[in-house]
Amino acid sequence: MVSTTPSPSDQLPALRVAVLGAGTVGTEVIRLITQQGEDLAQRIGARLELIGVAVRDAERDRGPHVDAALLTTEPSALVREADLVIEVMGGIEPARGLLLEAMAHGASVVTANKALLAQDAASLYEAADEHGVDIYFEAAVAGAIPIVRPVRESLAGDRVQRVLGIVNGTTNYILDAMASTGAGFDDALASAQELGYAEADPTADVEGHDAAAKASILASLAFHTRVGIGDVHCEGITAVSAQDIAAAARMGRTIKLLSIVERIEDGTEERVSARVYPALIPDSHPLASVAEAYNAVFVEAEAAGSLMFYGQGAGGAPTASAVMGDVVSAARHRVSGGVGPRESNYADLPVASIDELRSAFYVSLTVQDRPGVLAEIAGTLSRHGISISTIHQELLAADEDAPGRAHIGITSHRALESAMTAALDDFSSTSTVLSIDSVLRIEGE
Amino acid sequence: MVSTTPSPSDQLPALRVAVLGAGTVGTEVIRLITQQGEDLAQRIGARLELIGVAVRDAERDRGPHVDAALLTTEPSALVREADLVIEVMGGIEPARGLLLEAMAHGASVVTANKALLAQDAASLYEAADEHGVDIYFEAAVAGAIPIVRPVRESLAGDRVQRVLGIVNGTTNYILDAMASTGAGFDDALASAQELGYAEADPTADVEGHDAAAKASILASLAFHTRVGIGDVHCEGITAVSAQDIAAAARMGRTIKLLSIVERIEDGTEERVSARVYPALIPDSHPLASVAEAYNAVFVEAEAAGSLMFYGQGAGGAPTASAVMGDVVSAARHRVSGGVGPRESNYADLPVASIDELRSAFYVSLTVQDRPGVLAEIAGTLSRHGISISTIHQELLAADEDAPGRAHIGITSHRALESAMTAALDDFSSTSTVLSIDSVLRIEGE
């Protein structure tokens, strides 16, 4: 018989862990569980015993960290045997069904699935409550950056007013590339795709859907209410032009795709707002210098003041780090009792429509170059109660097809969204304004 | 009888809360408990009932938020009646004795007391363990910034490699003022004192003791080992000169007082290092732009990569925000069972002495201006195995008392601390070097 030195964790009880999905995040989760097994056991007070990894194709090689013998194509059987289920497969189904099944069989669950949480957090929370198990999801927002735990636990004794987040790395990479190279959106997207920062089908990122899912999660946690993906006003970055970025730079501003969630207290009724759009922020704002595919979340709370959290928002290892923090928390509860935070939705706040919000705007117009145009445009804005902050006019090179045109860039003071919509409608119906080239909001001032 | 609409929390059980200390932080804690009572009750599932506030002088007015009837000069009697004790009085005793007494009587405790934790976390942890209660201390490091919870919970499944923190607002304010105005240390300190950013006796801040206490707490949490205040190498900022700041700026660097905790894996034995000193960091490092009295903590972990946490590190309301997050966590455990994280010191790592560390250095010397001086200095460094990265020489204006002097600024590649100490000893004993004006380390590259 070969004598081996028993490692200290041999004496500890085992927790049976199932992983759903073995993509970039899943393989990194498995690597950490394997390579840091001894440390994790000491931190938890129990060993993590990997009992299976559910995949669609059990024949495919998953690299050096994934024992092929653990692969299974029967996730449902797997989750019924587990104490802890880690869901990193993504998508709504079968992820939701499997998480519900896992909890019904007594497992605590950790998920990175922002789309599922944004669509149906309620049924997951209810299952966790009913079965007395944990549900954790730090990795669903901003990858490695601890933001879910700080918002729902560290700030639980404070009153969050507003969260501004750069929570989508792909769009930040594209906007940053546009700003530093002068490229247009299409070129910047193509180069992001080449470098692996954007997917072949970039829709979920560039149209803002991914950022909107994260906004819904952040709003729900920050304001103790339910905000679903359908409550989030969402605009992507496909319409942002090289001209917009250059105009922003001239004004000392940077364009970022922001997820904004905000408590609105104007008058009798308190409401919340959740929205995603590209916005101009001052170069001096901490979010302005967030470069490449990095994420950052800026939080304003009544007592804490301004906080910022910065780091890698995607990628296998960073996301796996967030997942494993949750795994340790859920596992500790298995060992020493207790459960993590539950859904907190007592505030039950109505969601404000974008029309009711007030923002400062940047509007870019192509107009006829003739006397009285500026006065006409200023008059239209004024009629809708919109006050101009700055105005920048330049003649455009005339050619045969388009003689006598000028570009006008206007920034406004804070104005009601519905008033700006009405003013833009007026611009559309006048011959003076040849085209409305951009309408962007200004934030962080 | 006057009929009142009962607020929803009237139905909830009460938790008896005692506050020790009613200074800037204590009064803000009391304000939050009072003003946000309804929200806190919903988040916790129990009402926080303030049963007393221990102070030294019960006659002094504590402002509009503190009910004078709650003031008591008998903290010991108070803590024995409490479910939750919030210690914001500071100092080692009587704070330690009262926290131990509170836990012995079954109360969970929340403290902001970095000095106490750095000196004797062990006895507090042991008492919490023995009596099955919680001890939380988010506010002890970097005020409002969630850093304790992220390090001990969010990163519990990762492997922290290094933490660089600006965790003392006073010294950051002074260094920032020196950099932006060109003032010397004494003038910048005086202006910080005038503006309330530095205390009348600034020793604990400017000598680095406060930052060292925080380094000991961060090192213990990050590396799952015990690092006491005595294990932290500590240098303050009193010797940093306007010339150093200007020289750093010429090199594209900024001087910050850093708390550095690091895992050292060079060879057979793993060790940790904890140290505080003013260091040059590149202007491009995220910590370089942390201005005024703000704090920021930069964390490097194996899977997560680089993270940064930024916010207000001191002040009544920001610190109270961190305290209240802990209060909610501890209170939730009272309501639904379980306990928070305990001490994790299984790794039991030795602490490396500063002499064993390798750093890049900036050394500023005043030397005789004569041929061969540079060669002599370079030769001395080389003899000690120190490789020069850059060298900057300028003649100093000669006067009758000091003719023919030059200033030499040298940056080195990474070299052993003990080698640099030996080289500096050699410089001290040669007539060529008239004075060693500064020795600063270079970090974050």
Side-chain angles (χ1 to χ4, degrees):
Chain A
M1 238 176 95
V2 180
S3 121
T4 57
T5 313
S7 61
S9 69
D10 282 0
Q11 317 307 321
L12 296 173
L15 290 170
R16 296 162 63 81
V17 178
V19 177
L20 307 180
T24 8
V25 178
T27 49
E28 281 294 315
V29 164
I30 293 163
R31 178 181 72 80
L32 290 172
I33 290 176
T34 314
Q35 287 185 351
Q36 308 200 357
E38 192 58 36
D39 275 308
L40 292 168
Q42 296 299 336
R43 295 173 193 178
I44 292 164
R47 284 180 298 116
L48 297 181
E49 185 194 334
L50 201 54
I51 60 165
V53 179
V55 292
R56 263 185 298 195
D57 175 1
E59 303 306 312
R60 216 175 100 198
D61 180 40
R62 308 284 167 169
H65 303 298
V66 185
D67 179 354
L70 291 172
L71 298 179
T72 170
T73 52
E74 296 184 28
S76 178
L78 178 62
V79 301
R80 277 182 253 133
E81 299 301 315
D83 299 308
L84 287 169
V85 171
I86 300 169
E87 187 271 302
V88 284
M89 63 202 301
I92 305 298
E93 291 294 354
R96 171 168 48 195
L98 291 168
L99 288 173
L100 294 175
E101 192 171 3
M103 291 190 274
H105 282 81
S108 286
V109 302
V110 173
T111 173
N113 196 326
K114 60 230 160 197
L116 174 55
L117 285 159
Q119 176 156 322
D120 191 17
S123 70
L124 298 176
Y125 279 129
E126 276 160 26
D129 249 0
E130 184 186 342
H131 304 293
V133 297
D134 277 336
I135 174 160
Y136 280 102
F137 49 87
E138 180 64 74
V141 185
I145 306 172
I147 184 64
V148 168
R149 191 175 266 104
V151 168
R152 82 198 308 210
E153 300 185 45
S154 306
L155 290 166
D158 201 336
R159 186 174 172 82
V160 177
Q161 305 288 8
R162 184 185 294 111
V163 180
L164 297 183
I166 295 173
V167 292
N168 180 272
T170 301
T171 48
N172 200 60
Y173 183 89
I174 292 171
L175 291 171
D176 190 37
M178 289 173 73
S180 55
T181 66
F185 172 78
D186 292 333
D187 289 345
L189 169 60
S191 107
Q193 284 170 320
E194 247 168 64
L195 294 166
Y197 286 112
E199 302 197 34
D201 175 0
T203 314
D205 293 317
V206 300
E207 296 294 356
H209 305 154
D210 173 81
K214 291 160 180 171
S216 101
I217 297 170
L218 285 173
S220 303
L221 296 175
F223 305 127
H224 302 268
T225 191
R226 280 189 186 168
V227 178
I229 182 85
D231 297 317
V232 184
H233 173 85
C234 178
E235 301 171 26
I237 65 163
T238 55
V240 175
S241 67
Q243 289 72 30
D244 294 333
I245 302 229
R250 271 199 308 275
M251 296 185 281
R253 296 190 175 101
T254 306
I255 299 183
K256 294 290 186 188
L257 182 69
L258 298 183
S259 291
I260 304 175
V261 309
E262 196 169 16
R263 185 190 292 279
I264 299 172
E265 296 161 297
D266 56 354
T268 51
E269 190 194 44
E270 192 175 3
R271 293 170 300 163
V272 297
S273 159
R275 51 201 203 267
V276 171
Y277 44 63
L280 283 72
I281 56 173
D283 289 341
S284 59
H285 194 285
L287 290 177
S289 51
V290 176
E292 301 180 347
Y294 275 85
N295 280 198
V297 183
F298 191 79
V299 179
E300 293 168 44
E302 193 258 319
S306 298
L307 299 170
M308 192 169 86
F309 304 79
Y310 167 93
Q312 292 187 65
T319 309
S321 170
V323 166
M324 290 308 299
D326 284 351
V327 167
V328 170
S329 289
R332 280 174 176 164
H333 288 142
R334 290 275 147 169
V335 173
S336 38
V339 288
R342 326 304 299 187
E343 182 177 24
S344 175
N345 64 6
Y346 70 89
D348 197 19
L349 298 171
V351 178
S353 137
I354 185 91
D355 290 334
E356 308 167 75
L357 302 185
R358 304 180 76 82
S359 308
F361 286 90
Y362 166 71
V363 178
S364 160
L365 307 171
T366 302
V367 299
Q368 290 179 355
D369 178 35
R370 58 163 179 76
V373 165
L374 260 187
E376 188 185 324
I377 286 167
T380 300
L381 291 170
S382 166
R383 234 179 8 261
H384 291 287
I386 299 166
S387 161
I388 292 174
S389 170
T390 67
I391 196 153
H392 175 91
Q393 177 171 5
E394 61 187 314
L395 280 183
L396 294 173
D399 61 43
E400 275 175 46
D401 296 333
R405 296 173 311 140
H407 169 263
I408 291 182
I410 298 166
T411 62
S412 79
H413 292 294
R414 279 160 66 85
L416 208 58
E417 182 89 19
S418 56
M420 181 54 80
T421 307
L424 295 171
D425 277 351
D426 285 0
F427 289 151
S428 302
S429 59
T430 168
S431 61
T432 313
V433 175
L434 301 172
S435 62
I436 300 170
D437 303 322
S438 305
V439 182
L440 291 165
R441 295 168 197 83
I442 300 171
E443 297 283 349
E445 311 213 312
Chain B
M1 238 178 94
V2 181
S3 120
T4 57
T5 312
S7 63
S9 68
D10 281 0
Q11 316 307 321
L12 296 174
L15 290 171
R16 298 162 61 80
V17 178
V19 178
L20 308 180
T24 6
V25 178
T27 50
E28 282 294 315
V29 164
I30 293 162
R31 179 181 72 80
L32 290 172
I33 291 176
T34 314
Q35 287 185 352
Q36 307 201 358
E38 192 57 37
D39 275 307
L40 292 168
Q42 296 299 336
R43 295 174 193 177
I44 293 164
R47 285 179 297 115
L48 297 182
E49 185 195 333
L50 201 55
I51 61 166
V53 179
V55 292
R56 262 184 297 196
D57 175 1
E59 302 305 312
R60 214 175 101 200
D61 180 41
R62 308 283 168 168
H65 303 298
V66 183
D67 180 353
L70 290 173
L71 298 179
T72 170
T73 52
E74 296 184 28
S76 178
L78 178 62
V79 301
R80 276 182 254 134
E81 299 301 314
D83 299 309
L84 287 169
V85 171
I86 301 169
E87 187 270 305
V88 284
M89 63 201 302
I92 305 299
E93 291 295 353
R96 171 168 47 195
L98 291 168
L99 288 173
L100 294 175
E101 192 171 4
M103 291 190 274
H105 281 81
S108 285
V109 302
V110 173
T111 173
N113 195 327
K114 60 229 161 200
L116 173 55
L117 285 159
Q119 176 155 324
D120 192 18
S123 71
L124 298 176
Y125 278 129
E126 275 159 27
D129 249 1
E130 184 186 342
H131 304 294
V133 297
D134 278 335
I135 174 162
Y136 279 102
F137 49 87
E138 181 64 75
V141 184
I145 306 172
I147 185 65
V148 169
R149 193 176 265 102
V151 169
R152 82 199 306 211
E153 300 185 45
S154 306
L155 290 167
D158 202 337
R159 185 174 174 82
V160 177
Q161 306 287 7
R162 185 186 294 111
V163 180
L164 297 183
I166 295 173
V167 292
N168 180 273
T170 301
T171 47
N172 201 60
Y173 184 89
I174 292 171
L175 291 171
D176 190 37
M178 289 173 71
S180 55
T181 65
F185 171 78
D186 291 333
D187 289 345
L189 169 61
S191 107
Q193 284 171 321
E194 247 168 63
L195 293 165
Y197 286 112
E199 301 195 34
D201 176 0
T203 314
D205 293 317
V206 300
E207 296 294 357
H209 305 156
D210 174 80
K214 292 160 180 171
S216 100
I217 297 171
L218 285 173
S220 304
L221 296 175
F223 305 127
H224 302 269
T225 190
R226 279 189 186 168
V227 177
I229 181 84
D231 296 317
V232 184
H233 172 85
C234 178
E235 301 171 25
I237 65 163
T238 54
V240 176
S241 67
Q243 288 71 30
D244 294 333
I245 301 226
R250 269 199 309 274
M251 295 185 279
R253 297 192 175 102
T254 306
I255 299 183
K256 294 290 187 189
L257 182 69
L258 298 183
S259 291
I260 304 175
V261 311
E262 195 170 16
R263 185 191 292 278
I264 299 172
E265 296 161 294
D266 56 354
T268 51
E269 189 193 44
E270 192 175 2
R271 292 169 302 163
V272 297
S273 159
R275 50 201 202 266
V276 171
Y277 45 63
L280 283 71
I281 56 173
D283 288 341
S284 60
H285 193 285
L287 289 177
S289 50
V290 176
E292 300 179 346
Y294 275 85
N295 280 198
V297 183
F298 191 80
V299 179
E300 293 168 44
E302 193 258 318
S306 298
L307 300 169
M308 193 170 84
F309 305 80
Y310 167 93
Q312 293 185 66
T319 309
S321 171
V323 166
M324 290 307 298
D326 283 351
V327 167
V328 170
S329 289
R332 280 174 175 163
H333 288 143
R334 290 274 147 170
V335 173
S336 38
V339 287
R342 325 305 298 189
E343 182 178 24
S344 175
N345 64 6
Y346 71 89
D348 197 18
L349 298 171
V351 179
S353 136
I354 185 89
D355 290 334
E356 308 167 74
L357 302 184
R358 304 181 76 83
S359 308
F361 286 89
Y362 167 71
V363 178
S364 161
L365 306 170
T366 302
V367 299
Q368 291 180 355
D369 178 37
R370 57 162 180 77
V373 165
L374 261 186
E376 186 184 327
I377 287 168
T380 300
L381 291 170
S382 165
R383 236 183 1 262
H384 291 287
I386 300 166
S387 160
I388 293 174
S389 170
T390 67
I391 196 154
H392 175 91
Q393 176 169 6
E394 61 187 315
L395 279 183
L396 294 173
D399 61 40
E400 276 176 44
D401 294 334
R405 296 174 312 139
H407 169 263
I408 291 182
I410 297 165
T411 63
S412 79
H413 291 294
R414 278 161 66 86
L416 208 57
E417 182 88 20
S418 56
M420 181 54 80
T421 307
L424 294 171
D425 277 351
D426 285 359
F427 289 150
S428 303
S429 59
T430 166
S431 61
T432 313
V433 175
L434 302 171
S435 62
I436 300 169
D437 303 323
S438 305
V439 182
L440 292 165
R441 296 168 196 83
I442 301 171
E443 297 283 348
E445 312 213 312

